[in-house]
């Protein structure tokens, strides 16, 4: 029978095992993220993940400090994480008033500006994409509703879109009929008809992004893979 | 799993991200969101349905069994071991059924269907199914069907939905599974073609029929009935709906108001149907086997009473122990009063109060166990049609509420204690840091 989380934590306290510890932390990363996000009621941005690091440290701390007599480990861990995050916020607000390290502040500001710039560029491209997708009767809401439930073949959809965009006959038919020529796409890309059918809206979005030269969005598709 | 997402749209009630798996997801709206932002999110942030509410289907019995299970878990704290050791198979099956239904809570966000399945017994249902064979919509097609709850079946696989429809029709009395007559369930499946996909003929209808056949091999519910299965085309399906006919038999008979039962009673019809379709007869051996097992179960229900008796005795012992402790604390308090020493008196009073509270708690717990025993007894000995008395239901509700409240109180106290501890620790750390900085400054000054 598998051990409960609480038992595993106690075991780690008695005899630390880096592998198990890391596995547990990794497994509960979503929990840690959720705890912070719910505390803030805001999402954590990818470039600003200082808070997440603190959350990880706090979770690790909770592993060391958990007492068997307490209620569930996760309840305990949640409180530790929230306390550490709140503490970090207090320090941050005091920090900006102090400006002890001008260099550090400048660096952070530059990064923030960089980030903002990137956001603005992406926003422009996203609006352009939205406009272009209207031609096909598509909008982001429709794309969200049509997203298939299973986790599998999604990476394929991006690849299919990229390859498809290189074939002029596919592009012609697409813009002419305002619909994805499923059979043709399947033939030219090697993807099964089922995959093409299931992801047809997304594939259209990829093709349009490529054709309209929305490079930042393209970067997003490719990098985060 | 932590996902990365690019925010592409902000709606009134949600936001849409393009995730790093190349999917567009709806997520919960939070503060400070801007289009173009790149964020991290988890499955908990996903919005799975436009309703976001979970609906459970439980008949009275299942509700009670689940409630008792909750009680048992809550009461474990007091007694140290579970009260229900070897639950009745049937009870488990019903809880499982409730859980299976409750498990699948995704309501499809779109009428994105690629096949239609109609189930005709006497109640008639129309199920719209998507490409993954999941039900995205269910419609009751006649008055009898409207009496059966089906809205919670949206989101589950079509074969499971069919099984549950048959089960509920059985429970509702539209099928009599205790006799050995044939109860026909007609299942008709049609592919729905979109205009631009007529290059490719879907094989989904066959797939669905196969899935149902497979399910029928292992499902007691489906083995109890005679399954007539047929594939029809989309036009037939649409015509049937328009004229309130039954799609599966429309092409075999001209009669307008024939029920499935009437149709198959006529051997000619049956043979015509069989010529191009499958009929899976009910599994009579299985039925007889199940019925005798159920009868055996009833006899075995004394086993469960024994376990409960044990728990009851244990709770009684604990209660008597608590009572003794209370007596002792009372005596100590009296002695303290005589000694006249205020400190001793205060301490003794504190102990007395604690002992009394504990005694009351244990007494309550003992009574609770006794009540549970009574409830379980009536369930195991009762038959399907008997309903729990309202009074007993109220009792059980009260017990559960009370236990949950206490649980919440304990957890809140625990929470507060931990927070206090951490605050103190943080303070100490701060002070430590300040001391170190001060030391550093002193050193620099001296140099």
């Amino acid at each position: 029978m598998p051990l409960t989380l609480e038992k595993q934590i106690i075991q780690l306290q008695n005899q630390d095992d880096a592998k198990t510890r890391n596995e547990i932390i990794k497994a509960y990363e979503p929990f840690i993220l959720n705890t912070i996000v719910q505390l803030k009621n805001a999402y954590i941005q990818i470039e600003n993940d200082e808070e997440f690091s603190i959350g990880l440290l706090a979770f690790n701390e909770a592993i060391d400090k958990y007492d068997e007599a307490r209620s569930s480990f996760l309840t305990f861990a949640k409180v530790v994480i929230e306390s550490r995050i709140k503490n970090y916020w207090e320090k941050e607000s005091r920090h900006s008033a102090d400006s002890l390290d001008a260099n550090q502040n400048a660096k952070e500001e530059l990064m923030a500006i960089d980030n903002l710039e990137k956001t603005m560029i992406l926003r422009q491209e996203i609006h352009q994409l939205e406009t272009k997708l209207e031609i096909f009767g598509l909008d982001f809401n429709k794309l969200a509703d049509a997203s298939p439930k299973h986790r599998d073949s999604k990476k394929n959809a991006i690849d299919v879109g990229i390859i498809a965009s290189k074939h002029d006959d596919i592009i012609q038919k697409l813009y002419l009929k305002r619909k994805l020529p499923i059979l043709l796409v399947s033939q030219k890309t090697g993807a099964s008809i089922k995959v093409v059918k299931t992801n047809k809206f997304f594939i259209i979005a990829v093709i349009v992004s490529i054709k309209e030269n929305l490079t930042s969005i393209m970067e997003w598709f490719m990098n985060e893979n | 799993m932590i996902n990365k997402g690019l925010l592409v749209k902000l709606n009134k009630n949600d936001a849409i991200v393009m995730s790093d798996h190349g999917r567009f997801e709806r997520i919960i709206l939070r503060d400070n969101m801007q289009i173009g932002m790149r964020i991290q999110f988890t499955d908990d942030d996903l919005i799975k349905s436009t309703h976001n509410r979970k609906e459970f289907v439980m008949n009275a019995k299942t509700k009670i069994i689940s409630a008792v299970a909750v009680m048992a878990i809550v009461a474990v704290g007091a007694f140290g071991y579970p009260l229900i050791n070897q639950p009745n198979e049937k009870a488990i099956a019903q809880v499982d059924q409730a859980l299976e239904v409750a498990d699948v809570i995704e309501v499809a966000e779109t009428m994105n269907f690629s096949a239609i399945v109609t189930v005709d017994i006497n109640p008639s249902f129309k199920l719209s199914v998507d490409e993954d064979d999941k039900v995205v919509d269910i419609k009751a097609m006649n008055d009898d069907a409207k009496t059966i709850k089906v809205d919670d079946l949206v989101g589950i696989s079509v074969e499971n939905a069919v099984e549950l429809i048959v089960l509920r029709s059985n429970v509702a009395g539209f099928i009599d599974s205790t006799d050995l007559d044939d109860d026909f369930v007609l299942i008709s499946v049609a592919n729905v073609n979109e205009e631009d996909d007529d290059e490719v003929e879907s094989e989904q209808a066959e797939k669905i029929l196969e899935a149902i056949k497979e399910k029928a091999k292992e499902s007691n519910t489906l083995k109890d009935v005679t399954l007539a299965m047929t594939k029809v085309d989309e036009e037939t399906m649409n015509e049937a709906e328009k004229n309130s006919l039954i799609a599966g038999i429309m092409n075999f008979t001209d009669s307008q108001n024939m029920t499935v039962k009437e149709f198959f009673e006529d051997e000619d019809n049956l043979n015509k149907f069989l010529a191009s379709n499958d009929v899976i007869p009910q599994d009579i051996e299985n039925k007889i086997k199940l019925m005798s097992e159920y009868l055996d179960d009833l006899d075995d229900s004394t086993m469960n009473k024994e376990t409960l008796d044990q728990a009851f005795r244990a709770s009684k012992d604990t209660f008597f122990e608590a009572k003794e402790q209370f007596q002792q604390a009372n005596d100590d308090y009296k002695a303290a009063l005589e000694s006249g020493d205020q400190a001793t008196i205060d301490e003794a009073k504190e102990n007395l109060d604690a002992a009394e509270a504990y005694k009351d708690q244990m007494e309550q717990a003992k009574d609770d166990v006794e009540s549970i025993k009574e409830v379980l007894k009536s369930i195991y000995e009762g038959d399907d049609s008997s309903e729990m008395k309202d009074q007993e239901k109220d009792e059980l509700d009260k017990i559960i509420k009370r236990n949950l409240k206490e649980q919440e109180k304990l957890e809140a106290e625990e929470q507060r204690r931990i927070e206090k501890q951490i605050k103190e620790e943080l303070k100490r750390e701060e002070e430590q840091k300040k001391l170190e900085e001060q030391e550093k400054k002193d050193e620099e000054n001296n140099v």
Side-chain angles (χ1 to χ4, degrees):
Chain A
M1 242 197 46
L3 291 175
T4 65
L5 178 61
E6 280 73 15
K7 291 228 166 81
Q8 285 182 306
I9 304 284
I10 300 295
Q11 244 183 29
L12 273 177
Q13 287 177 349
N14 291 334
Q15 189 182 39
D16 197 10
D17 168 15
K19 182 163 171 271
T20 313
R21 187 181 275 255
N22 285 336
E23 276 175 9
I24 294 182
I25 296 180
K26 192 91 185 110
Y28 282 92
E29 277 183 358
F31 165 78
I32 298 171
L33 188 70
N34 283 330
T35 303
I36 303 174
V37 169
Q38 278 162 21
L39 185 63
K40 285 173 75 162
N41 195 31
Y43 290 101
I44 293 184
Q45 290 185 64
I46 297 179
E47 305 79 12
N48 271 357
D49 59 359
E50 175 93 11
E51 283 160 338
F52 187 62
S53 307
I54 296 189
L56 287 171
L57 285 171
F59 188 83
N60 194 37
E61 186 189 340
I63 293 181
D64 292 327
K65 299 204 172 136
Y66 177 66
D67 186 345
E68 275 181 275
R70 298 195 197 286
S71 50
S72 83
F73 171 71
L74 289 179
T75 312
F76 175 62
K78 184 166 177 215
V79 178
V80 178
I81 295 173
E82 289 180 348
S83 300
R84 289 291 175 201
I85 296 282
K86 286 185 199 161
N87 189 42
Y88 168 71
W89 288 341
E90 276 173 43
K91 266 177 38 196
E92 281 295 288
S93 59
R94 274 182 284 146
H95 208 289
S96 41
D98 275 348
S99 55
L100 280 175
D101 187 344
N103 270 341
Q104 184 65 18
N105 277 352
K107 204 164 151 213
E108 282 175 8
E109 268 190 49
L110 278 174
M111 271 173 53
I113 293 178
D114 232 5
N115 193 21
L116 197 56
E117 249 185 57
K118 209 160 167 208
T119 302
M120 305 265 45
I121 294 177
L122 275 167
R123 193 181 319 180
Q124 250 193 353
E125 288 192 7
I126 289 172
H127 282 143
Q128 276 178 278
L129 180 59
E130 205 170 8
T131 313
K132 293 300 172 188
L133 285 177
E134 274 174 34
I135 302 177
F136 301 90
L138 291 179
D139 61 40
F140 289 125
N141 285 313
K142 255 210 178 131
L143 282 162
D145 289 336
S147 270
K149 310 294 173 189
H150 298 309
R151 284 273 143 111
D152 38 300
S153 61
K154 291 339 120 233
K155 286 192 178 183
N156 296 348
I158 297 181
D159 294 333
V160 171
I162 294 175
I163 302 176
S165 68
K166 303 202 170 113
H167 293 269
D168 285 336
D169 47 357
I170 294 182
I171 304 295
Q172 252 183 16
K173 264 195 160 170
L174 172 65
Y175 278 85
L176 200 60
K177 282 175 114 186
R178 311 276 172 96
K179 285 192 187 152
L180 194 68
I182 296 181
L183 198 56
L184 193 58
V185 170
S186 164
Q187 286 169 351
K188 293 289 170 94
T189 65
S192 74
I193 290 187
K194 176 155 196 235
V195 165
V196 179
K197 257 176 106 165
T198 321
N199 297 293
K200 63 185 177 196
F201 291 155
F202 186 80
I203 295 173
I204 294 179
V206 173
I207 296 178
V208 170
S209 302
I210 295 176
K211 283 295 149 194
E212 302 295 328
N213 240 331
L214 304 176
T215 47
S216 296
I217 295 186
M218 293 283 300
E219 223 184 283
W220 170 265
F221 287 145
M222 319 260 230
N223 282 346
E224 311 303 337
N225 254 333
Chain B
M1 257 234 58
I2 296 188
N3 304 309
K4 301 200 178 124
L6 170 64
L7 217 54
V8 297
K9 190 156 181 73
L10 296 175
N11 293 320
K12 209 164 111 180
N13 294 322
D14 57 37
I16 300 187
V17 288
M18 191 160 70
S19 79
D20 51 353
H21 319 291
R23 292 167 57 184
F24 287 84
E25 315 264 22
R26 278 188 200 274
I27 60 175
I28 298 175
L29 207 54
R30 298 189 195 273
D31 299 338
N32 303 335
M33 292 174 91
Q34 285 185 340
I35 295 181
M37 255 185 180
R38 285 129 286 142
I39 62 170
Q40 295 186 308
F41 66 98
T42 69
D43 286 351
D44 282 354
D45 297 311
L46 295 178
I47 297 183
K48 294 216 171 112
S49 78
T50 47
H51 301 297
N52 246 345
R53 249 185 320 125
K54 305 180 187 192
E55 290 189 53
F56 292 81
V57 168
M58 297 202 210
N59 54 34
K61 211 183 224 182
T62 320
K63 196 170 184 181
I64 290 156
I65 294 179
S66 319
V68 168
V70 167
M71 250 254 71
I73 292 168
V74 166
V76 163
F79 303 119
Y81 61 87
L83 301 170
I84 302 176
N85 230 341
Q86 281 169 311
N88 181 307
E89 288 272 24
K90 202 154 187 270
I92 288 191
Q94 286 183 314
V95 174
D96 274 355
Q97 177 198 331
L99 285 180
E100 186 203 348
V101 172
D103 221 5
V104 183
I105 301 166
E106 290 175 31
V107 174
E109 296 163 2
T110 170
M111 280 289 283
N112 190 16
F113 58 95
S114 55
I116 296 184
V117 176
T118 57
V119 179
D120 298 284
I121 303 166
N122 174 22
S124 289
F125 298 91
K126 174 179 162 197
L127 287 69
S128 304
V129 178
D130 71 11
E131 285 160 351
D132 297 318
D133 294 343
K134 299 275 189 282
V135 176
V136 297
D137 184 60
I138 299 192
K139 232 165 82 170
M141 303 302 281
N142 57 15
D143 288 334
D144 283 337
K146 292 187 185 146
T147 68
I148 299 191
K149 183 171 171 66
V150 287
D151 52 9
D152 56 327
L153 300 182
V154 174
I156 67 178
S157 69
V158 60
E159 64 269 18
N160 285 335
V162 167
E163 184 191 25
L164 284 170
I165 288 176
V166 173
L167 177 60
R168 290 176 193 177
S169 301
N170 192 332
V171 168
F174 293 110
I175 301 176
D176 184 0
S177 55
T178 56
D179 65 17
L180 297 178
D181 287 344
D182 285 325
D183 296 298
F184 278 90
V185 173
L186 174 65
I187 299 179
S188 319
V189 187
N191 288 318
V192 166
N193 288 314
E194 298 180 10
E195 322 105 42
D196 57 355
D197 293 340
D198 44 17
E199 335 164 293
V200 179
E201 163 75 65
S202 169
E203 292 170 353
Q204 194 181 6
E206 272 92 356
K207 225 178 40 150
I208 292 177
L209 287 168
E210 267 310 307
I212 297 178
K213 281 192 203 147
E214 280 303 309
K215 185 86 195 171
K217 288 188 187 153
E218 27 130 296
S219 158
N220 285 330
T221 309
L222 293 178
K223 280 195 213 176
D224 256 2
V225 299
T226 304
L227 277 178
M229 328 233 307
T230 178
K231 176 174 174 223
V232 298
D233 58 36
E234 196 178 347
E235 284 155 30
T236 313
M237 201 58 101
N238 288 334
E239 218 191 300
E241 184 171 351
K242 218 164 46 160
N243 301 320
S244 301
L245 298 170
I246 297 177
I249 58 180
M250 220 174 77
N251 293 332
F252 293 106
T253 173
D254 293 327
S255 162
Q256 292 269 352
N257 284 324
M258 218 177 218
T259 65
V260 170
K261 194 168 172 173
E262 286 164 3
F263 174 81
F264 284 108
E265 262 167 4
D266 183 336
E267 258 204 60
D268 284 339
N269 286 337
L270 184 54
N271 288 328
K272 267 194 274 181
F273 186 87
L274 274 171
S276 47
N277 299 296
D278 285 330
V279 172
I280 304 177
Q282 64 170 325
D283 188 340
I284 298 208
E285 267 184 47
N286 192 43
K287 191 180 253 180
I288 296 181
K289 178 164 142 267
L290 283 180
M291 275 164 64
S292 39
E293 272 179 17
Y294 179 59
L295 292 169
D296 286 338
D297 265 353
L298 282 185
D299 290 332
D300 271 348
S301 66
T302 51
M303 262 256 257
N304 307 292
K305 279 199 248 166
E306 271 176 28
T307 314
L308 280 174
D309 276 335
Q310 270 183 40
F312 179 59
R313 253 175 281 134
S315 67
K316 247 168 60 182
D317 288 339
T318 318
F319 168 60
F320 283 135
E321 235 183 78
K323 210 161 151 201
E324 269 180 46
Q325 283 183 13
F326 173 65
Q327 301 286 37
Q328 186 64 46
N330 208 2
D331 293 337
D332 288 343
Y333 181 59
K334 291 213 188 98
L337 282 175
E338 285 176 16
S339 81
D341 174 25
Q342 190 58 38
T344 321
I345 294 179
D346 288 337
E347 203 187 322
K349 182 79 172 59
E350 244 186 79
N351 282 343
L352 180 60
D353 289 339
E356 181 164 14
Y358 182 61
K359 171 181 79 76
D360 291 338
Q361 240 187 321
M362 289 306 110
E363 179 162 18
Q364 186 63 56
K366 167 179 81 72
D367 292 338
D368 288 351
V369 178
E370 177 76 339
S371 305
I372 296 177
K373 209 176 80 163
E374 293 304 312
V375 169
L376 281 177
K377 211 163 101 176
S378 72
I379 289 176
Y380 291 145
E381 289 175 354
D383 57 270
D384 278 355
S385 56
S386 78
E387 282 202 336
M388 212 173 126
K389 287 179 242 146
D390 282 328
Q391 204 191 10
E392 285 171 14
K393 261 195 275 185
D394 285 337
E395 273 288 324
L396 206 55
D397 267 332
K398 264 191 261 168
I399 293 176
I400 293 169
K401 283 206 180 101
R402 181 178 45 235
N403 271 281
L404 286 175
K405 254 199 180 142
E406 278 170 19
Q407 192 82 344
E408 280 171 23
K409 237 173 51 183
L410 284 170
E411 283 178 6
E413 274 174 32
E414 180 77 26
Q415 187 114 339
R416 260 174 278 148
R417 231 185 313 142
I418 297 173
E419 282 185 339
K420 205 163 131 197
Q421 226 177 318
I422 296 202
K423 276 215 173 99
E424 285 170 10
E425 265 187 55
L426 286 174
K427 240 165 79 188
R428 256 178 284 142
E429 277 181 37
E430 291 267 344
E431 284 168 12
Q432 185 76 0
K433 271 217 178 111
K434 282 212 178 107
L435 275 172
E436 287 172 10
E437 280 174 17
Q438 188 62 36
E439 278 177 36
K440 242 171 126 187
K441 273 205 183 127
D442 289 340
E443 270 185 49
E444 287 170 8
N445 285 341
N446 286 341
V447 170

